[in-house]
Amino acid sequence: MESFENRERAESFGEVAQEYDAFRPKYPAALITAIMQAARASADSQTDASPPSTGDRTSGAPRILDVGSGTGILASQLRSAGAEILAVEPDPGMAAIARAKGLDVEVSAFEKWDSQGRTFDLVSFGQSFHWVDPAVALPKIRTLLRPGGSLALAWNDIEPISELKSRLDAVVARFHADGRTASLGSRASRGTEASRGKGGQRYD
């Protein structure tokens, strides 16, 4: 079963929204810089007068749509870096925390969300792209991006070290005789080593 088809799991985060916001790691500064560079490149190339994504546009600020924004972890970092942010989040509990941070959030599943003709310099997904149906989401994203716009897909890949790694390895050895290693991030969910070293964070 694909993640986006597992609606019970996908819709369970709101039950622990406060804990989610408190313990989910922020994204590395280098990643935020790279996303903002891509968004600014699109914003700087625009000459049209397409409608602003949220209210009055901040002069020169790139417009970013953050999808599956959760409690606004990535969106808050991008806003602090100078972006104009609109968040889309299906869970009202998660959206409430994001709004308490001053973010503009529309509550909807992305596949059903009405853009009302708004376009963006960049569309971002912070640990959320696996929760949307790509057959629906990708064509929709194309209609939302302004010419030269970008799509940013981000996951934190948390690699345990020191005592935590030893303890997790012991648990894995007990339950997985095939020798799989402990992973708390995207490699576990996607079954790939491709993201190793990209935006990862280490925790003791």
Side-chain angles (χ1 to χ4, degrees), residues 5-153:
E5 296 174 328
N6 188 350
R7 299 318 304 166
E8 182 177 357
R9 182 182 176 196
E11 296 166 6
S12 67
F13 295 102
E15 300 174 5
V16 290
Q18 293 286 351
E19 291 83 356
Y20 181 105
D21 189 59
F23 298 112
R24 273 287 175 115
K26 291 183 171 60
Y27 293 88
L31 177 63
I32 300 302
T33 297
I35 292 174
M36 289 300 297
Q37 287 175 342
R40 286 194 177 102
S42 172
D44 291 345
S45 70
Q46 303 305 318
T47 58
D48 68 335
S50 57
S53 55
T54 56
D56 295 330
R57 184 180 182 186
T58 302
S59 177
R63 305 168 182 168
I64 296 180
L65 176 70
D66 189 51
V67 181
S69 194
T71 59
I73 294 173
L74 177 60
S76 293
Q77 289 182 265
L78 294 171
R79 182 184 59 181
S80 295
E84 175 194 297
I85 298 290
L86 174 62
V88 176
E89 166 56 39
D91 186 274
M94 303 281 272
I97 293 178
R99 284 179 177 145
K101 298 176 181 179
L103 291 165
D104 190 352
V105 187
E106 297 184 5
V107 177
S108 174
F110 180 61
E111 293 89 336
K112 298 179 180 179
W113 176 68
D114 182 3
S115 70
Q116 301 177 26
R118 291 167 291 185
T119 57
F120 303 85
D121 298 303
L122 186 141
V123 176
S124 62
F125 288 78
Q127 298 196 169
S128 58
F129 187 72
H130 52 285
W131 295 122
V132 299
D133 182 349
V136 177
L138 289 172
K140 185 167 189 171
I141 290 166
R142 186 172 183 178
T143 69
L144 296 170
L145 287 173
R146 306 178 80 190
S150 298
L151 169 63
L153 307 181

